[in-house]
Amino acid sequence: MPSSTRKRTELAALVDLGITAVRHGRHERARRFLEAALAIDPTHEDGLLWLAAITDDRDQANAMVRRALRHHPDSSRAQAALRWLDQPSADTAAPPEGDAPQPFRPPWEAYGSAAVPRRGTAEAPAAPGPGVPVAEPQAVSTDVLPWQPPAVAAQEDVLLADPGDAVHRGASPAHGRPSPPAQGVDLANRPQVSLRRARLGWGTLRNLLMVAMLATVFLGGGALAVLLSSDAQAQSARVALGAITRTPTPTHTPQATATATPSPTATATITPLPSATPLPTATATPSPTPLPTWATAAFLPLPLEEKWIEVDLTQQMLYAWEGTETVYSTEISSGKDDTPTRVGRFRIRSKHVSQHLVGPGYSLPDVPFVMYYSGAFAIHAAYWHDQWGAPVSHGCINMRREDAQWLFEWADPQMPEGAKQVQATVSEPGTWVLIHK
């Protein structure tokens, strides 16, 4: 499948999963799906509007709706959402999540073009003249929102999916919504069938792993028994494994016995005394480099034979090392107390020249020099604050733009010429990142 088609299919599947989760009251799960969709296409209308509908921050919701309207100026749904947000009493707080699935109704649905007719327009005819009976007002249907897409069946196997499972087997590449069920399919039993299939799959994988482990144990035990059947074989095995080094046995060579042969004339010979040979000068053995106090077992062994990055969360400092020599250092801004930076030993997995970062409570376009090292945690430049030396981020490691660019160009994997992103591989792994307090 071409890359563009695969991305469109993944985008449509993520948006449908997010909408389905919203309608079931699972707003945190829905937020993750919609944010993953916006990471693929930051201008997607459904992704922006539905994410705005469940956000608690009115300013954030207003920004998302205005962005949708900027890219889709003829969207009646975005216009309805913006009219509602412009009301002084607008409350963008999402409804509480419940155990039973409840249809989600964004608070601004009454401000759509179909629900607020204007006098004298095609949606609302002008007032009748004298003597003309006035018809009873028709109730506006609340089953379908002015900007709401068609309903999606409540399927637990869809809601169990993660944002990484971009292409769900029920998604249609044409419009990204689950395909209608075949004739005679019982939708009520689909969740149990999917869960049973998942359990059977995991059970089969677990059994295969156990068989492989038992085979390894038996084969290893048999090989060990054969090696230890005699001292000679055990000695050979230890040498082969590097446990000991074979040392050649010294051979004794008998010295020739001196035989005195009398000479006819005894001549006195003066034998010079041997000169004193100076003893070799002792060479001082260099002492090993002492380990820093933070280098516990979780960080060992330190990568002292290559490039590596140290992040000190207590001092809010970052150091670039080449072996045992520091080649660069700068202040950083790490995660706040409620969104802390993850501590541990990692490698850079991917590098991106620029990326749109979206998360709970923030949406930051065109963030430069992004380097992911663990899940969504990354080292990147920050243009929206200058509080260096203080933990104010959402968990990532923020740097000044010039510092982030230097580190981006120095760290591995190296970016190919003209490329916008690069992934670490086995042959070209990423630089080590050690984060400690």
Side-chain angles (χ1 to χ4, degrees):
M1 181 184 294
S3 177
S4 59
T5 304
R6 183 171 60 254
K7 285 189 177 180
R8 286 197 301 271
T9 304
E10 181 181 355
L11 174 63
L14 288 171
V15 172
D16 278 336
L17 292 174
I19 294 173
T20 303
V22 171
R23 288 173 176 161
H24 284 72
R26 303 185 178 183
H27 302 122
E28 187 59 34
R29 181 180 291 275
R31 184 176 289 107
R32 292 199 297 270
F33 282 124
L34 294 173
E35 288 171 355
L38 290 178
I40 299 175
D41 182 3
T43 67
H44 196 277
E45 180 181 2
D46 283 344
L48 289 169
L49 292 179
W50 279 96
L51 186 59
I54 61 175
T55 186
D56 296 334
D57 189 336
R58 176 175 173 176
D59 293 336
Q60 187 73 18
N62 194 304
M64 291 181 182
V65 172
R66 290 184 181 277
R67 186 173 4 141
L69 195 57
R70 184 170 63 253
H71 294 283
H72 308 278
D74 297 331
S75 171
S76 59
R77 296 180 294 165
Q79 293 170 1
L82 189 59
R83 284 198 297 273
W84 182 87
L85 285 171
D86 288 339
Q87 301 300 313
S89 60
D91 181 11
T92 60
E97 300 183 12
D99 296 333
Q102 298 292 333
F104 179 71
R105 297 168 56 84
W108 57 64
E109 71 171 57
Y111 289 83
S113 59
V116 184
R118 295 185 296 276
R119 188 177 186 86
T121 62
E123 293 83 358
V132 179
V134 179
E136 291 295 329
Q138 297 296 322
V140 178
S141 172
T142 59
D143 294 335
V144 181
L145 307 183
W147 48 276
Q148 174 178 339
V152 181
Q155 303 176 22
E156 284 297 327
D157 53 343
V158 174
L159 292 177
L160 288 174
D162 287 328
D165 302 330
V167 182
H168 193 269
R169 60 187 178 88
S172 170
H175 48 74
R177 293 180 172 79
S179 303
Q183 185 68 25
V185 176
D186 185 5
L187 291 179
N189 293 328
R190 288 188 66 183
Q192 290 81 1
V193 172
S194 298
L195 291 176
R196 283 198 297 272
R197 289 177 179 174
R199 294 192 188 101
L200 288 175
W202 281 112
T204 303
L205 179 60
R206 183 178 63 251
N207 293 338
L208 292 176
L209 291 176
M210 292 180 64
V211 170
M213 292 173 60
L214 290 175
T216 302
V217 171
F218 283 123
L219 291 176
L224 186 61
V226 172
L227 291 175
L228 298 181
S229 58
S230 66
D231 292 341
Q233 290 181 350
Q235 184 77 358
S236 299
R238 286 194 291 269
V239 171
L241 295 176
I244 62 174
T245 304
R246 188 184 300 275
T247 304
T249 304
T251 303
H252 178 71
T253 303
Q255 296 180 353
T257 304
T259 303
T261 303
S263 58
T265 305
T267 305
T269 304
I270 300 176
T271 304
L273 294 175
S275 60
T277 302
L279 295 176
T281 305
T283 304
T285 303
S287 58
T289 303
L291 292 175
T293 56
W294 56 266
T296 59
F299 299 95
L300 297 179
L302 296 181
L304 300 181
E305 302 298 326
E306 54 184 303
K307 296 190 293 188
W308 55 290
I309 299 171
E310 176 192 356
V311 178
D312 189 334
L313 298 180
T314 303
Q315 302 295 329
Q316 291 290 291
M317 290 290 295
L318 181 145
Y319 304 93
W321 293 81
E322 291 184 359
T324 58
E325 180 182 358
T326 305
V327 296
Y328 200 86
S329 63
T330 182
E331 286 184 311
I332 61 161
S333 176
S334 65
K336 301 177 291 187
D337 291 339
D338 54 344
T339 55
T341 299
R342 186 178 178 187
V343 174
R345 174 188 173 104
F346 316 96
R347 274 191 185 272
I348 293 177
R349 299 185 298 107
S350 64
K351 294 166 59 175
H352 305 264
V353 176
S354 178
Q355 204 171 40
H356 186 116
L357 301 184
V358 179
Y362 66 91
S363 177
L364 303 169
D366 301 326
V367 177
F369 308 120
V370 182
M371 296 189 293
Y372 289 99
Y373 58 85
S374 175
F377 290 91
I379 303 173
H380 58 76
Y383 58 78
W384 52 90
H385 75 83
D386 57 356
Q387 303 181 46
W388 311 114
V392 299
S393 77
H394 285 80
C396 291
I397 299 172
N398 293 178
M399 301 178 66
R400 297 181 180 90
R401 181 184 178 89
E402 59 272 17
D403 295 331
Q405 181 177 2
W406 185 94
L407 193 69
F408 187 87
E409 296 173 351
W410 174 82
D412 293 328
Q414 293 299 311
M415 183 75 67
E417 184 177 358
K420 298 298 183 182
Q421 63 182 18
V422 65
Q423 299 283 338
T425 62
V426 175
S427 59
E428 189 176 0
T431 299
W432 284 105
V433 180
L434 278 61
I435 306 175
H436 66 87
K437 294 184 178 179

